[in-house]
Amino acid sequence: MAKMYYDKDADLSVLKGVKVAIIGYGSQGHAQAQNLRESGVDVIVAELEGTANYQLAEKHGFKPVSASNASKDADVIQILAQDNLQAKLYKNEIETNMKEGKTLVFSHGFNIHFNQILPPADADVFMVAPKGPGHLVRRVFAEGKGVPCLKAVYQDASGHADDLALAYAWGVGGTRAGVLT
């Protein structure tokens, strides 16, 4: 049965002391990274050096690094690159950094659902998917509101993946409008 979650249902302190890597600073990446940072979350951004999105991340006060370095340093790894690039990016840059206790996050379930990415059994894996383009997610958050999100837990190795997913959704503004699971 579907359930809606709001701010009162999430505990952002779950992300205290947790470093979140945003892999890809495109439409969703720029919005989620900035919203999380403004929510008090420690965020690191990965983007390809020399690209317009790399420059935009710098303009927004981030110091972009490679996906490999970001995934090595982070506890939570949100892959926001294009769906058709995610499997190769995961295999080449992220997979070796997926140690026990790390969390893998998506905003679209394609690569998990179709087994393009096979996460290790000791990692939490969830999806928080804002139901709007990144520029709307960012603008509405800056106005003090939020865009509704979908949430799904694929793998709960820690026993706390659902709490972490709700905290993440709170951080990007989703629980302000409602998170459907």
Side-chain angles (χ1 to χ4, degrees):
M1 172 172 256
K3 184 174 179 184
M4 288 292 287
Y5 296 91
Y6 298 95
D7 283 351
K8 66 180 176 47
D9 301 309
D11 180 6
L12 189 65
S13 72
V14 171
L15 290 173
K16 185 175 181 164
V18 172
K19 185 176 292 245
V20 175
I22 300 295
I23 312 293
Y25 204 73
S27 178
Q28 283 295 323
H30 88 275
Q32 291 187 33
Q34 290 179 88
N35 292 3
L36 286 164
R37 179 176 62 189
E38 290 177 19
S39 294
V41 177
D42 186 8
V43 177
I44 184 170
V45 168
E47 187 53 74
L48 294 173
E49 190 169 355
T51 65
N53 286 339
Y54 184 98
Q55 293 169 355
L56 183 61
E58 287 183 318
K59 180 180 173 187
H60 291 159
F62 292 102
K63 294 180 174 143
V65 297
S66 69
S68 178
N69 286 338
S71 61
K72 182 173 42 167
D73 293 342
D75 306 294
V76 174
I77 302 156
Q78 164 63 294
I79 303 178
L80 290 169
Q82 298 164 329
D83 282 339
N84 63 316
L85 303 176
Q86 287 184 11
K88 183 177 180 183
L89 178 65
Y90 179 80
K91 187 75 172 162
N92 293 340
E93 306 254 355
I94 299 168
E95 186 173 40
T96 60
N97 295 317
M98 289 300 300
K99 307 298 182 208
E100 182 177 355
K102 292 218 179 191
T103 300
L104 197 56
V105 184
F106 298 88
S107 285
H108 189 267
F110 178 88
N111 281 286
I112 290 294
H113 181 76
F114 291 105
N115 299 313
Q116 300 302 297
I117 294 175
L118 301 170
D122 58 4
D124 287 344
V125 181
F126 65 82
M127 178 185 75
V128 170
K131 299 319 303 164
H135 290 86
L136 179 68
V137 172
R138 179 68 186 136
R139 179 177 54 82
V140 170
F141 181 90
E143 294 170 353
K145 301 176 218 140
V147 169
C149 293
L150 298 178
K151 173 185 70 75
V153 174
Y154 174 78
Q155 191 166 283
D156 187 7
S158 71
H160 302 287
D162 196 60
D163 294 335
L164 190 57
L166 279 172
Y168 188 96
W170 193 100
V172 298
T175 55
R176 295 174 179 180
V179 175
L180 180 66
T181 188

